[in-house]
Amino acid sequence: MSDPFDGLEDWAKQAERRAKRADRRRRLRAVFRIRSSRARSVLFIASAVAAAVLLAAALPTIRTYLPGGSAYSADSSADSPLYPTQAVPSGVSATTTASAAPTDPFEGTPAATYPKGEAGITLPPATAVTGFTAAQVDAALQQVRKALVAARLDQQMLVGHDPAALLALLAPNSAKGIKTWFDGTEFSALATWIDPAAHLDPAEEVRVSGRITFDSAEVDGIQTLRITTNFVWVYAFTGNGRNPLAAEHDETRWDFPATGRLRAADKGMWVGAVKGYMAWIDCAAAGKGLLAPYRSGAGAQPGPTEDPDAYLKADHSLTIADDCDPAASSAPAVAA
């Protein structure tokens, strides 16, 4: 005779996961679009698509090494039957290949099997492209990897709010411009600062998933190696009940102009177009450029249209609706 309780434990675990997922759908659709308050940092494109620009996130851009500082093209996302996805840029690509075992608090979310920390940053094989040898491409890819770690994973940046390690990786003239982003909130498109009122879970590493693509193009007469990174970074916090996660999703183009026509201070890595959003976040903290998980009464209320889990996927479009209520963004942060 079979045991009537056989399989009951597995059923209970599945039921608990379903309940957590339903709870997230009710409470966690808090998303914040990166904005730029500085007119000189906003990327404008052709007047024929001006109406679309008004609805899209501003892209902080500094490209003073190029004559005229012409703009790059806008986001070209396509709609998916489940959620809008981001287009893959042309060039040589690699996506995250490692994985990790699901653990709380990530269990039941897309981040459950994302690799931990640097393991989620998979570099494509370096090959020669127009104007750059395979060795030069490899050196640039390694430089970008260091920048991603410094911007999104290093404790010096996350909790120390110190961008020195990231700035040191950039061409001197690029670093000068990027440094000013940290005087306001523009930096959140590029780097993570944890809200001092929130606390990262010391037992959990950041879960990371995304893609790196490289290509070469002539931009304003200068051959440029362009490395585009698109990653979602999912952080776990303590003291926040059943909703201890918050995420950053960004796409950054790192530019390496050929050095033949450049001044010494212009040689090296530049931050090109940057765009992104925060998800599952506290709106009051996000309004200051800081990352903290959703807190009851201090973040946007859930919307009816899209599964909040989709915002934790690296292929999700970066053109999104801003669900953070302006009133909530100005509210005082609530300690975790």
Side-chain angles (χ1 to χ4, degrees):
M1 180 176 179
S2 62
D3 185 349
F5 296 102
D6 186 35
L8 186 59
E9 182 177 356
D10 289 340
W11 176 87
K13 289 182 179 178
Q14 293 173 6
E16 182 180 9
R17 285 195 292 269
R18 286 195 297 270
K20 287 182 178 179
R21 192 176 301 113
D23 185 62
R24 285 196 303 274
R25 293 185 182 187
R26 287 194 302 271
R27 302 180 60 202
L28 286 180
R29 196 171 173 263
V31 230
F32 182 78
R33 190 184 341 182
I34 302 302
R35 299 184 183 274
S36 170
S37 60
R38 302 184 180 185
R40 63 178 176 81
S41 298
V42 178
L43 176 62
F44 291 97
I45 55 178
S47 59
V49 291
V53 174
L54 295 176
L55 302 176
L59 313 183
T61 303
I62 293 179
R63 297 177 62 232
T64 54
Y65 72 89
L66 294 179
S70 62
Y72 289 114
S73 61
D75 169 41
S76 55
S77 57
D79 287 336
S80 158
L82 299 178
Y83 57 88
T85 58
Q86 191 75 3
V88 179
S90 61
V92 181
S93 286
T95 56
T96 299
T97 55
S99 62
T103 61
D104 282 336
F106 301 99
E107 189 172 3
T109 76
T113 57
Y114 290 173
K116 298 178 180 180
E118 294 184 49
I121 305 174
T122 300
L123 298 180
T127 59
V129 293
T130 302
F132 300 88
T133 66
Q136 289 174 318
V137 171
D138 181 65
L141 287 169
Q142 297 296 336
Q143 189 83 339
V144 166
R145 181 187 177 90
K146 291 178 182 177
L148 293 173
V149 172
R152 298 295 191 186
L153 299 176
D154 195 326
Q155 292 294 306
Q156 179 181 346
M157 178 73 82
L158 296 183
V159 298
H161 296 181
D162 180 1
L166 173 63
L167 297 176
L169 296 169
L170 303 176
N173 280 341
S174 178
K176 287 180 182 178
I178 298 302
K179 186 177 181 180
T180 66
W181 292 12
F182 292 88
D183 296 332
T185 61
E186 291 171 312
F187 70 86
S188 57
L190 180 66
T192 302
W193 280 9
I194 301 299
D195 183 358
H199 304 284
L200 290 171
D201 187 340
E204 297 290 348
E205 291 187 62
V206 184
R207 296 300 179 97
V208 181
S209 181
R211 177 187 66 244
I212 298 178
T213 305
F214 70 86
D215 201 358
S216 176
E218 186 174 303
V219 183
D220 290 346
I222 298 178
Q223 201 67 37
T224 302
L225 174 62
R226 303 182 301 182
I227 299 178
T228 303
T229 60
N230 188 317
F231 280 91
V232 62
W233 316 83
V234 187
Y235 301 81
F237 294 80
T238 61
N240 202 53
R242 292 175 294 175
N243 301 313
L245 303 180
E248 302 258 19
H249 181 194
D250 64 80
E251 180 178 271
T252 303
R253 191 168 64 244
W254 311 86
D255 290 344
F256 295 81
T259 60
R261 296 169 52 191
L262 299 181
R263 298 168 297 179
D266 290 339
K267 295 179 180 180
M269 180 169 65
W270 285 73
V271 175
V274 177
K275 48 191 170 182
Y277 62 78
M278 298 174 176
W280 293 25
I281 44 87
D282 170 60
C283 290
K288 302 173 186 176
L290 305 174
L291 187 69
Y294 174 85
R295 299 162 179 148
S296 178
Q301 293 304 307
T305 57
E306 188 173 337
D307 184 346
D309 282 359
Y311 291 110
L312 302 190
K313 297 181 179 180
D315 66 342
H316 192 289
S317 172
L318 291 160
T319 301
I320 65 169
D322 187 345
D323 288 342
C324 273
D325 183 346
S329 294
S330 61
V334 179

